[in-house]
Amino acid sequence: MVDSFGRTVNRVDNNEQTIQALQNELQQMQNEKYLVYDYLDHYELPRELSAIPIIESRYLNTPQKEGYVGAGLWMFIKETAHNWGLVVNQ
């Protein structure tokens, strides 16, 4: 999945900075993959959700910031989390 995604990005945007940033994010995704898969598997969610943080957080696990609704890798807001059957307790 990661290799084909990278090839697609290279065809869409030849900006070297964008390509480098996405390659870094894909590497970060690889570093976190098994931890993320464990959580997705635990909650019986599709592993394809592991790609969302590339767009939403650049695979940086950040706390909620003032002015932002989402937090963490997926940047899920409460409504999205509920739609996926996740429990929101904070």
Side-chain angles (χ1 to χ4, degrees):
M1 176 174 76
V2 172
D3 290 337
S4 64
F5 181 77
R7 284 192 298 273
T8 301
V9 168
N10 286 336
R11 282 196 308 268
V12 172
D13 187 346
N14 280 326
N15 178 310
E16 188 61 37
Q17 223 174 358
T18 301
I19 293 169
Q20 185 61 49
L22 284 169
Q23 287 173 341
N24 291 342
E25 292 156 23
L26 290 170
Q27 182 58 52
Q28 184 66 19
M29 179 183 174
Q30 286 297 106
N31 295 343
E32 306 289 340
K33 179 171 65 176
Y34 295 106
L35 176 65
V36 170
Y37 283 179
D38 285 347
Y39 279 98
L40 293 172
D41 293 346
H42 176 79
Y43 291 102
E44 298 179 2
L45 296 166
R47 286 185 172 186
E48 288 79 7
L49 287 175
S50 66
I52 290 174
I54 293 170
I55 303 301
E56 294 296 333
S57 69
R58 303 177 75 194
Y59 250 92
L60 300 172
N61 191 9
T62 57
Q64 188 170 6
K65 297 178 185 174
E66 188 175 332
Y68 289 86
V69 179
L73 291 179
W74 285 271
M75 295 290 174
F76 275 161
I77 60 173
K78 288 182 182 181
E79 292 80 8
T80 304
H82 286 283
N83 289 341
W84 282 97
L86 301 175
V87 175
V88 178
N89 55 15
Q90 291 187 6

